[in-house]
Amino acid sequence: MATVTTRDGVEIFYKDWGPKTAQPIMFHHGWPLSSDDWDTQMLFFLQHGYRVVAHDRRGHGRSAQVSEGHDMDHYAADAAAVVEHLDLRNVVHIGHSTGGGEATHYVAQHGQPQGRVAKLIIIGAVPPIMVKTAANLGGLPIDVFDGLRKALADNRSKFYVDLPSGPFYSFNRPGAQPIQAVINNWWRQGMMGGAKAHYDGIRAFSETDFTEDLKIITVPTLVMHGDDDQIVPIADSALLSAKLLKNSTLKVYEKFPHGMCTTHADVVNPDLLAFVKA
């Protein structure tokens, strides 16, 4: 397996496919999944001549199941370790959900200052901040995230069946047809990772405030979100992020779920390509 060791000694697994001379696209996965969640997009861009890179977040997938460092500062630094190890330049970063937060923090704190970033795309992403605070009255109550922590601690395997079976892909909507293979693959990816990393990661994706990151990002950024996203409600995420970014394009997808990269890849992938090529 291809890995890089971070400054704090954590082994991060990554994939690096395609011509080394081609423009790189780096993918940042959602919680509690792995880089495998990007299979469809990676193969799509590979077929269009791009170099595609994706890593498993610390404590997730095939990366080391360490006890500490499950926060956005470490997540972004780990992404930077992969980028710098491969010496990637002119990179398009694509992040989904928690990975959208990670990609945002990476671009603002590492990639843009180093001049390595061409564009940013965030999909169903958690910025600016998910939890309800005095400054973010439209956010979700902390009780929502406490409930996620309890479900994970009580029976992680069952929780990782219930979430994709229901709101993640909007399979709980009237008339929806759940795809068992998609549910199974979500469960498989989740159970590959470590329980503590996933438990701590809930705080990282829900309580991190990305407002200042969004304000300093100047590279062209595409903000994509489904208006039926039951995991990251659009009103307090994409609509606010697009306003904070200096150079953003907002694209809203009617009735698309949180996991739209899987359920609607036939629509999402061409839109990603069009923005990358623009």
Side-chain angles (χ1 to χ4, degrees), residues 40 45 53 165 169-170 188 191 194 221 227 237 270 274:
T40 303
F45 276 100
V53 176
S165 298
Y169 296 109
S170 289
R188 175 191 69 85
M191 294 305 293
T221 302
D227 69 4
S237 55

PDB file of all heavy atoms in Angstrom, residues 40 45 53 165 169-170 188 191 194 221 227 237 270 274:
ATOM      1  N   THR A  40     -16.254   6.172  -8.276  1.00  0.00           N
ATOM      2  CA  THR A  40     -16.914   6.565  -9.528  1.00  0.00           C
ATOM      3  C   THR A  40     -16.292   7.822 -10.116  1.00  0.00           C
ATOM      4  O   THR A  40     -16.042   7.894 -11.330  1.00  0.00           O
ATOM      5  CB  THR A  40     -18.416   6.793  -9.291  1.00  0.00           C
ATOM      6  OG1 THR A  40     -18.980   5.598  -8.741  1.00  0.00           O
ATOM      7  CG2 THR A  40     -19.122   7.147 -10.579  1.00  0.00           C
ATOM      8  N   PHE A  45     -12.630  10.721 -13.976  1.00  0.00           N
ATOM      9  CA  PHE A  45     -11.589  11.699 -14.316  1.00  0.00           C
ATOM     10  C   PHE A  45     -10.354  11.020 -14.904  1.00  0.00           C
ATOM     11  O   PHE A  45      -9.666  11.608 -15.748  1.00  0.00           O
ATOM     12  CB  PHE A  45     -11.230  12.540 -13.094  1.00  0.00           C
ATOM     13  CG  PHE A  45     -12.154  13.711 -12.891  1.00  0.00           C
ATOM     14  CD1 PHE A  45     -13.180  13.655 -11.964  1.00  0.00           C
ATOM     15  CD2 PHE A  45     -12.023  14.858 -13.651  1.00  0.00           C
ATOM     16  CE1 PHE A  45     -14.048  14.722 -11.793  1.00  0.00           C
ATOM     17  CE2 PHE A  45     -12.880  15.934 -13.499  1.00  0.00           C
ATOM     18  CZ  PHE A  45     -13.900  15.863 -12.559  1.00  0.00           C
ATOM     19  N   VAL A  53      -5.924  11.595  -7.152  1.00  0.00           N
ATOM     20  CA  VAL A  53      -5.306  11.261  -5.865  1.00  0.00           C
ATOM     21  C   VAL A  53      -6.384  11.317  -4.790  1.00  0.00           C
ATOM     22  O   VAL A  53      -7.239  12.206  -4.800  1.00  0.00           O
ATOM     23  CB  VAL A  53      -4.177  12.260  -5.520  1.00  0.00           C
ATOM     24  CG1 VAL A  53      -3.603  11.980  -4.133  1.00  0.00           C
ATOM     25  CG2 VAL A  53      -3.085  12.219  -6.585  1.00  0.00           C
ATOM     26  N   SER A 165     -29.178   3.691   4.946  1.00  0.00           N
ATOM     27  CA  SER A 165     -30.495   3.166   4.576  1.00  0.00           C
ATOM     28  C   SER A 165     -31.553   4.258   4.587  1.00  0.00           C
ATOM     29  O   SER A 165     -32.605   4.112   3.946  1.00  0.00           O
ATOM     30  CB  SER A 165     -30.923   2.058   5.552  1.00  0.00           C
ATOM     31  OG  SER A 165     -30.033   0.968   5.508  1.00  0.00           O
ATOM     32  N   TYR A 169     -28.736   8.981   1.787  1.00  0.00           N
ATOM     33  CA  TYR A 169     -29.050   8.950   0.352  1.00  0.00           C
ATOM     34  C   TYR A 169     -30.517   9.288   0.076  1.00  0.00           C
ATOM     35  O   TYR A 169     -31.000   9.099  -1.040  1.00  0.00           O
ATOM     36  CB  TYR A 169     -28.726   7.569  -0.222  1.00  0.00           C
ATOM     37  CG  TYR A 169     -27.264   7.213  -0.164  1.00  0.00           C
ATOM     38  CD1 TYR A 169     -26.794   6.241   0.717  1.00  0.00           C
ATOM     39  CD2 TYR A 169     -26.338   7.844  -0.991  1.00  0.00           C
ATOM     40  CE1 TYR A 169     -25.450   5.905   0.772  1.00  0.00           C
ATOM     41  CE2 TYR A 169     -24.986   7.523  -0.944  1.00  0.00           C
ATOM     42  CZ  TYR A 169     -24.554   6.551  -0.064  1.00  0.00           C
ATOM     43  OH  TYR A 169     -23.212   6.222  -0.003  1.00  0.00           O
ATOM     44  N   SER A 170     -31.224   9.782   1.090  1.00  0.00           N
ATOM     45  CA  SER A 170     -32.670  10.052   0.993  1.00  0.00           C
ATOM     46  C   SER A 170     -33.457   8.805   0.591  1.00  0.00           C
ATOM     47  O   SER A 170     -34.509   8.903  -0.044  1.00  0.00           O
ATOM     48  CB  SER A 170     -32.945  11.205   0.017  1.00  0.00           C
ATOM     49  OG  SER A 170     -32.507  12.435   0.572  1.00  0.00           O
ATOM     50  N   ARG A 188     -19.421  -1.042   4.851  1.00  0.00           N
ATOM     51  CA  ARG A 188     -18.065  -1.611   4.728  1.00  0.00           C
ATOM     52  C   ARG A 188     -17.006  -0.555   4.968  1.00  0.00           C
ATOM     53  O   ARG A 188     -16.055  -0.762   5.735  1.00  0.00           O
ATOM     54  CB  ARG A 188     -17.887  -2.207   3.318  1.00  0.00           C
ATOM     55  CG  ARG A 188     -16.463  -2.720   3.041  1.00  0.00           C
ATOM     56  CD  ARG A 188     -16.265  -3.036   1.563  1.00  0.00           C
ATOM     57  NE  ARG A 188     -16.265  -1.850   0.723  1.00  0.00           N
ATOM     58  CZ  ARG A 188     -15.188  -1.097   0.497  1.00  0.00           C
ATOM     59  NH1 ARG A 188     -14.031  -1.380   1.084  1.00  0.00           N
ATOM     60  NH2 ARG A 188     -15.265  -0.041  -0.300  1.00  0.00           N
ATOM     61  N   MET A 191     -16.957   0.607   8.739  1.00  0.00           N
ATOM     62  CA  MET A 191     -16.425  -0.362   9.700  1.00  0.00           C
ATOM     63  C   MET A 191     -14.934  -0.617   9.513  1.00  0.00           C
ATOM     64  O   MET A 191     -14.283  -1.200  10.387  1.00  0.00           O
ATOM     65  CB  MET A 191     -17.208  -1.669   9.613  1.00  0.00           C
ATOM     66  CG  MET A 191     -18.667  -1.545  10.045  1.00  0.00           C
ATOM     67  SD  MET A 191     -18.894  -0.851  11.714  1.00  0.00           S
ATOM     68  CE  MET A 191     -18.192  -2.172  12.715  1.00  0.00           C
ATOM     69  N   GLY A 194     -11.713   3.399  12.608  1.00  0.00           N
ATOM     70  CA  GLY A 194     -11.679   3.245  14.054  1.00  0.00           C
ATOM     71  C   GLY A 194     -12.814   3.982  14.742  1.00  0.00           C
ATOM     72  O   GLY A 194     -13.141   5.118  14.388  1.00  0.00           O
ATOM     73  N   THR A 221     -14.060  28.621  -6.865  1.00  0.00           N
ATOM     74  CA  THR A 221     -14.644  27.577  -6.029  1.00  0.00           C
ATOM     75  C   THR A 221     -16.072  27.280  -6.457  1.00  0.00           C
ATOM     76  O   THR A 221     -16.884  28.190  -6.604  1.00  0.00           O
ATOM     77  CB  THR A 221     -14.636  27.992  -4.546  1.00  0.00           C
ATOM     78  OG1 THR A 221     -13.288  28.276  -4.140  1.00  0.00           O
ATOM     79  CG2 THR A 221     -15.192  26.887  -3.665  1.00  0.00           C
ATOM     80  N   ASP A 227     -30.813  20.127  -2.587  1.00  0.00           N
ATOM     81  CA  ASP A 227     -31.747  20.821  -1.692  1.00  0.00           C
ATOM     82  C   ASP A 227     -32.560  19.862  -0.819  1.00  0.00           C
ATOM     83  O   ASP A 227     -33.352  20.292   0.021  1.00  0.00           O
ATOM     84  CB  ASP A 227     -32.648  21.786  -2.462  1.00  0.00           C
ATOM     85  CG  ASP A 227     -33.659  21.114  -3.378  1.00  0.00           C
ATOM     86  OD1 ASP A 227     -33.733  19.863  -3.391  1.00  0.00           O
ATOM     87  OD2 ASP A 227     -34.386  21.837  -4.076  1.00  0.00           O
ATOM     88  N   SER A 237     -25.438  26.047   5.114  1.00  0.00           N
ATOM     89  CA  SER A 237     -24.131  25.576   4.641  1.00  0.00           C
ATOM     90  C   SER A 237     -23.795  26.211   3.299  1.00  0.00           C
ATOM     91  O   SER A 237     -23.201  27.290   3.244  1.00  0.00           O
ATOM     92  CB  SER A 237     -24.119  24.047   4.548  1.00  0.00           C
ATOM     93  OG  SER A 237     -25.191  23.581   3.745  1.00  0.00           O
ATOM     94  N   PRO A 270     -20.295  15.106 -14.918  1.00  0.00           N
ATOM     95  CA  PRO A 270     -20.105  16.068 -16.007  1.00  0.00           C
ATOM     96  C   PRO A 270     -20.029  17.513 -15.506  1.00  0.00           C
ATOM     97  O   PRO A 270     -19.281  18.321 -16.091  1.00  0.00           O
ATOM     98  CB  PRO A 270     -21.344  15.857 -16.889  1.00  0.00           C
ATOM     99  CG  PRO A 270     -21.778  14.461 -16.616  1.00  0.00           C
ATOM    100  CD  PRO A 270     -21.483  14.238 -15.163  1.00  0.00           C
ATOM    101  N   ALA A 274     -16.892  19.984 -16.171  1.00  0.00           N
ATOM    102  CA  ALA A 274     -17.069  21.279 -16.820  1.00  0.00           C
ATOM    103  C   ALA A 274     -16.395  22.391 -16.010  1.00  0.00           C
ATOM    104  O   ALA A 274     -15.755  23.287 -16.590  1.00  0.00           O
ATOM    105  CB  ALA A 274     -18.560  21.579 -16.986  1.00  0.00           C
TER     106      ALA A 274
END
